[in-house]
Amino acid sequence: MPSIDLTGKAAVVTGSGRGLGLAYAHALAAHGASVVVNDIDEAVAEQAVKSITEAGGRAVAEVVPVGTTEAADRLVSRAVEEFGRLDVLVTNAGILRDRVLWKMTDDDFDAVITTHLKGTFTCARAAAVRMREQGEGGSLILVGSPAGQRGNFGQTNYAAAKAGIAAMARTWSMELGRAGITVNAIVPVAATAMTETIPAFAPYAEAMRNGEPLPDFLRKGEGFGTPEDCAALVPFLASEAARGITGQAIGIGGDKVALWSHPQEISAAYADGGWTPETLADAFPTSVGAELQTVGIPAPKFPEA
């Protein structure tokens, strides 16, 4: 079994004051990486740093909301100033402004796109510049979501941003391949402040807080667990063991790890000379439209009482 050793490497994890981001930061530090913790709340960021250093890791805090070029430059510069280099970027920072389409405001849309999509872009660009200058490769680990793979009711902004993040991972994996920089999107599923608002999950989240284990139908069947369950994927993708893995969307949660397929044509039909609306209406239901694709995140399959 290969050893995952990140000693000497430096990482930036955006949105790592709590939840999944904090779990990623802890996992990187536990495997030897020095970590720049990022949050918009100074007290939260400093507490995260304290928890990492008390566990034997090395970390500093950079308090700034991601989204702008200036914020991205600050995060990369902090890693270089403190640790002399940058090897790993995890773009975890995010917010939610859930509304159905006809109630979503411009501000709701822009805020989520700025933090998730533009924040991923600006931070990845700054990191790529630094990693290319170093000439020793690196890892960009972009945080996606099942909502970005399948859509989700009330999450126009969030689903669009996460779908864009997966597309950027594929694009950047090609652009940065010659520099030895791998780029992957991870698709975590875990008990967080967001999932705890879902009534079906609420009792299990409460039980987990009380130290009770999650049942197998959630951990295995649904791939749903703790943030720490998802964190293992990050140091793996940052390590030499994953040098050949790039341009992928990889899901993890509970006891499950999975590879998401890229969007691709699944059926086709042809008409000599091209299509008209009438010929499409005639042929579509029995050709390419014979088995339409589903949308949305499947509801959990809870066992019958």
Side-chain angles (χ1 to χ4, degrees):
M1 186 175 296
S3 175
I4 304 301
D5 185 3
L6 303 179
T7 302
K9 295 186 181 295
V12 169
V13 184
T14 69
S16 50
R18 52 169 65 92
L20 281 165
L22 180 57
Y24 301 149
H26 266 284
L28 287 165
H31 287 83
S34 301
V35 182
V36 176
V37 169
N38 162 250
D39 202 272
I40 59 172
D41 186 319
E42 183 174 2
V44 168
E46 292 295 346
Q47 179 57 41
V49 167
K50 182 181 178 183
S51 69
I52 291 170
T53 56
E54 287 182 346
R58 188 180 181 196
V60 296
E62 186 65 23
V63 180
V64 63
V66 303
T68 65
T69 295
E70 292 74 18
D73 289 344
R74 276 179 56 179
L75 288 165
V76 172
S77 295
R78 187 68 189 280
V80 175
E81 290 164 4
E82 294 286 343
F83 309 127
R85 58 186 300 107
L86 177 64
D87 304 280
V88 183
L89 170 70
V90 184
T91 59
N92 175 74
I95 61 172
L96 293 177
R97 297 288 187 275
D98 292 355
R99 301 280 192 283
V100 290
L101 172 61
W102 55 95
K103 292 184 179 180
M104 185 168 288
T105 67
D106 287 1
D107 287 345
D108 292 332
F109 185 85
D110 291 346
V112 170
I113 294 298
T114 295
T115 300
H116 286 275
L117 192 62
K118 190 177 180 184
T120 295
F121 161 67
T122 54
C123 289
R125 180 178 59 186
V129 169
R130 175 64 192 182
M131 290 175 185
R132 291 180 78 248
E133 289 173 352
Q134 289 173 178
E136 300 175 29
S139 303
L140 303 183
I141 301 169
L142 318 182
V143 180
S145 167
Q149 304 294 316
R150 298 186 54 87
N152 197 31
F153 189 95
Q155 291 194 314
T156 294
N157 44 13
Y158 180 76
K162 292 302 191 182
I165 285 168
M168 290 194 297
R170 294 167 188 141
T171 299
W172 296 341
S173 71
M174 294 183 283
E175 296 179 348
L176 296 171
R178 290 184 64 182
I181 301 169
T182 61
V183 191
N184 292 286
I186 64 173
V187 185
V189 179
T192 64
M194 182 177 73
T195 54
E196 287 181 18
T197 64
I198 301 171
F201 284 122
Y204 297 100
E206 178 66 25
M208 190 171 62
R209 279 195 298 272
N210 294 331
E212 299 175 28
L214 289 171
D216 274 359
F217 82 87
L218 278 179
R219 291 191 58 85
K220 290 184 171 61
E222 300 297 328
F224 180 85
T226 67
E228 289 72 24
D229 291 323
C230 297
L233 186 55
V234 170
F236 165 64
L237 289 175
S239 74
E240 291 303 312
R243 282 303 90 196
I245 302 171
T246 192
Q248 304 304 303
I250 305 170
I252 190 166
D255 296 331
K256 178 182 177 182
V257 65
L259 185 69
W260 285 87
S261 67
H262 293 343
Q264 57 188 328
E265 293 179 347
I266 57 173
S267 61
Y270 303 90
D272 292 338
W275 293 92
T276 67
E278 291 77 16
T279 56
L280 280 170
D282 180 60
F284 195 88
T286 57
S287 58
V288 294
E291 190 173 345
L292 297 176
Q293 298 296 286
T294 61
V295 299
I297 301 170
K301 297 177 182 177
F302 292 98
E304 295 182 5

